[in-house]
Amino acid sequence: MEQEAAETLVQAAGSDGSNPKGPDESEAVNRARKLLFRRMLVGIRDGRFFLGNFHCIDKQGNIILQDAVEYRSTRRSSPSPMEQRFLGLILVPSSCRVSCHVGCSVEEQLSLLSF
């Protein structure tokens, strides 16, 4: 459920902006506000994951995470141990992102999905 909420937000933020004051934009802004400062896990195409606090998203769908930690596999074989390093503030381009999960309770997940 949290992935659906995050992906819906990303799709709404990635709109072309032809109606800048329309109801879709206000809904996207409300969804973004609900996600602010929540823990978010973002996976990218090369197999790495970033865990950090959601800070913002732009119209292109790029996500900025605060206090981010990078997790990557140290070997190609599965299961392999994960190596981690602290990165701080990072931008995850929408072109690289393959998954997006938000950490919250079931009740909060349902409220993020309902509008």
Side-chain angles (χ1 to χ4, degrees):
M1 282 187 220
E2 69 273 0
Q3 182 176 359
E4 291 174 18
E7 291 301 325
T8 303
L9 171 66
V10 168
Q11 290 169 359
S15 66
D16 65 355
S18 58
N19 187 7
K21 298 295 180 192
D24 290 339
E25 182 174 308
S26 62
E27 181 178 329
V29 169
N30 287 334
R31 286 180 186 256
R33 284 188 179 139
K34 286 185 175 184
L35 291 174
L36 280 176
F37 310 115
R38 294 191 187 270
R39 298 295 285 169
M40 184 176 280
L41 180 68
V42 179
I44 63 171
R45 291 177 192 228
D46 65 4
R48 292 180 293 163
F49 289 91
F50 300 99
L51 179 65
N53 296 323
F54 176 75
H55 184 68
C56 68
I57 188 167
D58 62 13
K59 287 189 177 190
Q60 291 77 29
N62 302 315
I63 294 175
I64 294 182
L65 299 176
Q66 288 179 318
D67 301 326
V69 177
E70 172 193 32
Y71 294 92
R72 65 183 181 104
S73 179
T74 57
R75 289 180 279 178
R76 296 283 180 209
S77 63
S78 64
S80 66
M82 297 295 279
E83 184 178 281
Q84 70 179 34
R85 66 179 176 155
F86 179 75
L87 299 174
L89 190 68
I90 63 166
L91 181 137
V92 181
S94 61
S95 60
C96 297
R97 192 181 60 247
V98 295
S99 65
C100 190
H101 302 277
V102 178
C104 57
S105 70
V106 174
E107 292 82 14
E108 290 172 320
Q109 290 175 17
L110 292 173
S111 72
L112 287 171
L113 290 173
S114 63
F115 261 87

